[in-house]
Amino acid sequence: MVRAGLTAERVTRAGAELADEVGFDQVTVSALARHFDVKVASLYSHVKSSHDLKTRIALLALEELADRGATALAGRAGKDALTAFANVYRDYAREHPGRYAAAQLRLDPETAAASAGVRHAQMTRAILRGYDLAEPDQTHAVRMLGSVFHGYVSLELAGGFSHSAPDSQESWSRVLDALDSLLRHWPTA
């Protein structure tokens, strides 16, 4: 019998919390069953498999990131928008490392197209409109920003910048200044 109060949403949120505690790779239906003190079979009423659970956590993380991004971007443009958006990713990764890792999960095309990942791309393109980039340069810039944000945040989370001065915040600010300058002076092919 399924324990009262368990729903797909509650299981997903508990999985997201577990991901933040122990790492996204460690999240399984079995681990969640232990968390809820129920039999594994009880959770299969709410999720199909560990992959389904991880996909649900990824979708939750993408939604949370998109909501934060939209709030941060409201009324901003140019470098201010770029900085606000970048800080959303960095802050989210620091607060929710497991969920941030989940947001990187490769989704099947249909799931990806229906996810909040689409909103992320739209927000990035909205920022880039302030830099007057046309296609295909806009797509190149979207990919560059995503790569720089994710690369920096991943290295920082792994402790890669904690061994020397200056403080990583100072470097982060310099990276964002450099991105803004590059976007304002985008090289033409």
Side-chain angles (χ1 to χ4, degrees):
M1 183 169 156
V2 175
R3 176 176 261 194
L6 288 183
T7 64
E9 181 180 348
R10 185 167 175 225
V11 169
T12 301
R13 290 200 174 277
E17 291 169 14
L18 184 62
D20 289 337
E21 292 171 21
V22 301
F24 182 61
D25 291 339
Q26 303 303 312
V27 175
T28 63
V29 174
S30 296
L32 266 185
R34 287 189 296 277
H35 170 79
F36 284 116
D37 194 26
V38 298
K39 294 189 184 298
V40 173
S42 297
L43 295 184
Y44 286 121
S45 302
H46 308 290
V47 295
K48 297 174 192 168
S49 63
S50 287
H51 179 72
D52 179 45
L53 173 63
K54 287 185 173 190
T55 298
R56 289 169 182 269
I57 295 167
L59 294 172
L60 172 67
L62 288 169
E63 189 73 34
E64 289 175 344
L65 268 167
D67 290 346
R68 285 184 181 201
T71 299
L73 287 176
R76 296 176 193 240
K79 184 180 179 195
D80 191 35
L82 175 68
T83 299
F85 195 61
N87 285 334
V88 163
Y89 278 85
R90 186 173 181 226
D91 293 345
Y92 187 81
R94 289 168 146 184
E95 293 169 31
H96 301 291
R99 292 178 205 207
Y100 180 77
Q104 311 312 311
L105 182 70
R106 185 177 183 148
L107 302 172
D108 67 75
E110 185 177 313
T111 302
S115 77
V118 174
R119 288 175 53 206
H120 294 258
Q122 290 168 339
M123 286 185 278
T124 305
R125 288 181 185 280
I127 292 166
L128 292 173
R129 279 195 293 277
Y131 291 98
D132 201 28
L133 294 180
E135 286 299 347
D137 291 326
Q138 192 177 92
T139 296
H140 296 314
V142 167
R143 292 172 180 168
M144 178 191 69
L145 291 176
S147 298
V148 172
F149 297 164
H150 178 66
Y152 194 96
V153 165
S154 296
L155 288 168
E156 187 176 46
L157 286 175
F161 305 136
S162 61
H163 305 295
S164 63
D167 181 70
S168 67
Q169 177 58 45
E170 184 178 337
S171 295
W172 179 248
S173 295
R174 297 289 298 270
V175 165
L176 296 178
D177 289 344
L179 288 172
D180 174 63
S181 179
L182 175 62
L183 290 169
R184 283 186 285 112
H185 302 97
W186 190 264
T188 56

